[in-house]
Amino acid sequence: MATEIQPLPDQAPSRLQEDAMSFTRTVGLTGFVMTVVGVAVLVFALRGVFSLDPHIGLMATVLGTVMMLFHASRDTDPTVTTLYGYGGGMGLPIVGLGLAIAFSMIKAKPDDIAAATRIESVRYLYSWFAILLGLLFLVIYCRNEQDADSRKNGLMMLGGSGMILFLVAVFGSHFRPAYSLGFGLPLGLLGVGYLAAFLVQSGEDTKLGYRGAWFVTLLGLATMSSAMLRAIIPHTLPFFVPAGMLVLGIGLLAALVGLFMASDLQVVVLARRELLTYFYSPIAYAVLLLMAVIGWLAFYLFAQQLFQEVPEPIVMYYLGDYFGVVPVLFIIPAITMRLISEEKRTGTFDMMMSAPVKEWNVVLSKLFASFIFFMLTMSIYAIYLVALVAETGTAFEFRTLLSFYLAVAVTGLAFLSLGLFLSSLTNNQMVAAVLTFGAMLFLFAIFFLERLVPPTSPFKNVFLHTSYVHFWWSSLRGHLHVRDLLIQLTLAGFWTFLSVRVLEARRWW
């Protein structure tokens, strides 16, 4: 008997799936073309082949690279990931260092002032840009790569590049102190950025990430020790200011980054969580963008004054303007408004307090995380000064800049602890922001109230020593009193103590 053949079930009509990557790949291809055209325009403009504006090439290059970064972050195809990882992530740092060497060897004709100006203006800018892009492409590659061996190669490239950049900056500054003012400091900061990205992508829970974090900590401590020893050894050229201080700062930053990732202390773990929370929300990027725009505007007005004869300290004309003191009124509320109030509203605060953590650890972790982010935003002003030194080759009085940032640090602790206390009083972050802004506005108004008080009044000195505007301007003139530092640190401790008492009282509600 013949077996009857059963027909297959009908599965028509077939489903058609649209290529979801078509738009992303179009953006990436367009960005690649724009980058190639922009680089060509820059090369021709620098060589003076055509009368082209280099700013057009720079804008095309920046926009093109942003489009390529968008494509690299969205397209997880193995071929595309490998191309961006090896070509962009591993090739661009080498190109950046090659550009730095090439520009240092290029010499314009003695009578060609225009060519000399063009070469000097881009001496290190494009090499920094290439190294920074390599960091971004490598981070994207390590995040998207699925193959374990390939991802490990990317991590090794991140860590190795960071080590090379960091050591070149440190050793170059040791043997040639003037090197730190031009190329050394940005190169060292980029090295720390590579090492930090290596630790973040490795993960603090893995063996590689944990050992790498302690290695970075020891590397930073060794750098600090070498800077102090180099400053002690007698030499014909001064080293400690500013080269030694810059190397010491880079080493301290590396040590803090490593310790921040390696330590298992409650306050460090909570601070790490809180700091990452900033970058998971648009608040951090909005604040950084706002400070970059304000800093650029302040630097532009400051650069116009440099065409005239400006006495030292010249940074007084840049950081001592209202562009430096007024933005704090808005930055502090933006940073602190959600620290405790938002967690109360969402219920995560009660969950956190039910864990075996102490109130002091919670408050200090939030204060430390907000302080790190605050100093990051304020450091944008200093980046423009590094660009000024790198482009003109002219140094200025750095000691006033160091005293200014020390004053900013202690007043920032007082401001942030005040905002943290006000955030602990409510479960509405907008109410916390308004209260903090009002408090900051009052602290700013003290500067004007002091001028209205008669010189014989006892409130004259009270307003004078509690005004952060006076404190900052005095530090820019090189006058940094221990009394003023202790006043701000005492205020920070007072507001922090009140925040802890508020959280302790909550356990009894």
Side-chain angles (χ1 to χ4, degrees):
M1 183 176 179
T3 304
E4 184 178 359
I5 300 177
Q6 298 294 332
L8 295 175
D10 188 11
Q11 296 180 350
S14 301
R15 293 184 299 173
L16 299 178
Q17 183 176 2
E18 183 181 0
D19 186 8
M21 289 291 107
S22 58
F23 171 74
T24 306
R25 291 174 180 172
T26 302
V27 172
L29 181 60
T30 306
F32 175 75
V33 173
M34 291 183 64
T35 303
V36 172
V37 173
V39 171
V41 171
L42 286 173
V43 172
F44 289 143
L46 290 176
R47 294 183 61 88
V49 178
F50 301 111
S51 58
L52 297 174
D53 188 357
H55 294 91
I56 298 176
L58 182 60
M59 291 179 60
T61 304
V62 172
L63 182 59
T65 51
V66 170
M67 296 170 71
M68 293 172 65
L69 286 170
F70 171 76
H71 178 214
S73 63
R74 297 293 299 273
D75 197 341
T76 57
D77 184 84
T79 304
V80 176
T81 302
T82 303
L83 181 63
Y84 277 119
Y86 285 86
M90 300 184 185
L92 283 174
I94 300 175
V95 172
L97 290 176
L99 285 175
I101 297 173
F103 277 119
S104 63
M105 297 175 62
I106 295 177
K107 302 295 183 182
K109 297 179 180 180
D111 57 343
D112 195 350
I113 301 177
T117 303
R118 287 194 300 267
I119 293 173
E120 187 65 30
S121 64
V122 298
R123 191 174 185 86
Y124 299 124
L125 177 62
Y126 297 143
S127 61
W128 295 338
F129 184 62
I131 295 172
L132 178 61
L133 284 179
L135 171 61
L136 298 178
F137 278 116
L138 269 178
V139 169
I140 294 174
Y141 172 74
C142 293
R143 190 187 65 181
N144 292 340
E145 181 58 52
Q146 302 297 325
D147 183 68
D149 293 334
S150 299
R151 188 175 186 276
K152 187 176 181 180
N153 292 336
L155 291 175
M156 291 298 102
M157 187 62 186
L158 266 176
S161 300
M163 280 288 299
I164 293 173
L165 296 174
F166 187 85
L167 293 178
V168 168
V170 171
F171 282 106
S173 301
H174 275 295
F175 292 103
R176 188 182 172 191
Y179 170 82
S180 64
L181 304 180
F183 192 56
L185 177 61
L187 200 66
L189 294 177
L190 286 171
V192 175
Y194 270 83
L195 293 174
F198 165 75
L199 297 179
V200 171
Q201 293 299 319
S202 299
E204 66 272 13
D205 297 330
T206 63
K207 183 183 296 185
L208 180 63
Y210 184 76
R211 291 180 177 177
W214 281 116
F215 176 78
V216 173
T217 303
L218 295 177
L219 178 65
L221 294 176
T223 302
M224 295 172 62
S225 301
S226 66
M228 289 185 287
L229 289 175
R230 173 66 175 80
I232 295 174
I233 297 175
H235 199 272
T236 55
L237 296 177
F239 173 76
F240 189 70
V241 179
M245 291 294 295
L246 295 178
V247 174
L248 191 68
I250 294 174
L252 177 61
L253 181 61
L256 290 177
V257 168
L259 186 63
F260 196 70
M261 296 298 297
S263 178
D264 294 330
L265 295 176
Q266 275 189 359
V267 64
V268 177
V269 174
L270 292 173
R272 187 163 60 228
R273 163 190 173 271
E274 191 66 33
L275 187 61
L276 292 176
T277 304
Y278 278 110
F279 294 96
Y280 289 150
S281 66
I283 295 177
Y285 305 99
V287 172
L288 290 174
L289 179 60
L290 175 64
M291 290 301 296
V293 173
I294 294 175
W296 173 83
L297 182 58
F299 182 76
Y300 176 78
L301 298 176
F302 166 68
Q304 302 303 313
Q305 303 179 43
L306 294 181
F307 292 103
Q308 306 171 3
E309 193 69 24
V310 180
E312 288 283 1
I314 64 172
V315 291
M316 181 67 187
Y317 299 89
Y318 172 45
L319 299 171
D321 201 349
Y322 285 105
F323 285 106
V325 297
V326 173
V328 183
L329 303 178
F330 305 93
I331 294 175
I332 298 298
I335 294 177
T336 60
M337 64 180 183
R338 48 157 300 278
L339 286 178
I340 297 179
S341 59
E342 182 65 13
E343 293 210 33
K344 286 183 178 180
R345 187 186 67 84
T346 57
T348 57
F349 178 78
D350 294 330
M351 183 182 302
M352 179 174 59
M353 295 308 298
S354 62
V357 294
K358 296 184 178 298
E359 288 81 1
W360 274 104
N361 289 332
V362 174
V363 172
L364 290 179
S365 65
K366 292 181 177 295
L367 182 60
F368 289 160
S370 59
F371 176 72
I372 293 172
F373 182 71
F374 172 74
M375 294 304 296
L376 178 64
T377 59
M378 296 301 294
S379 65
I380 293 178
Y381 288 107
I383 294 176
Y384 289 101
L385 291 177
V386 173
L388 175 66
V389 174
E391 183 168 340
T392 62
T394 304
F396 55 87
E397 182 55 63
F398 278 84
R399 284 172 290 190
T400 56
L401 185 64
L402 296 175
S403 64
F404 169 75
Y405 271 100
L406 182 58
V408 169
V410 294
T411 52
L413 275 176
F415 296 158
L416 293 168
S417 59
L418 172 60
L420 179 63
F421 167 68
L422 295 175
S423 179
S424 66
L425 298 178
T426 178
N427 58 358
N428 190 318
Q429 61 176 340
M430 295 308 299
V431 173
V434 172
L435 292 175
T436 306
F437 177 75
M440 291 299 302
L441 193 62
F442 172 75
L443 294 175
F444 179 69
I446 291 177
F447 170 72
F448 301 97
L449 293 176
E450 183 269 333
R451 296 184 174 184
L452 301 177
V453 176
T456 57
S457 175
F459 292 100
K460 185 75 172 181
N461 288 331
V462 174
F463 288 157
L464 187 63
H465 296 310
T466 54
S467 171
Y468 78 94
V469 180
H470 280 295
F471 186 30
W472 286 13
W473 288 2
S474 177
S475 66
L476 284 171
R477 298 186 183 96
H479 304 151
L480 191 63
H481 298 284
V482 178
R483 171 198 58 214
D484 297 327
L485 296 175
L486 292 178
I487 289 174
Q488 298 298 326
L489 291 176
T490 302
L491 290 174
F494 173 72
W495 295 118
T496 304
F497 172 76
L498 290 184
S499 301
V500 174
R501 298 300 295 174
V502 170
L503 298 189
E504 288 177 347
R506 185 176 175 82
R507 290 184 180 271
W508 301 96
W509 291 357

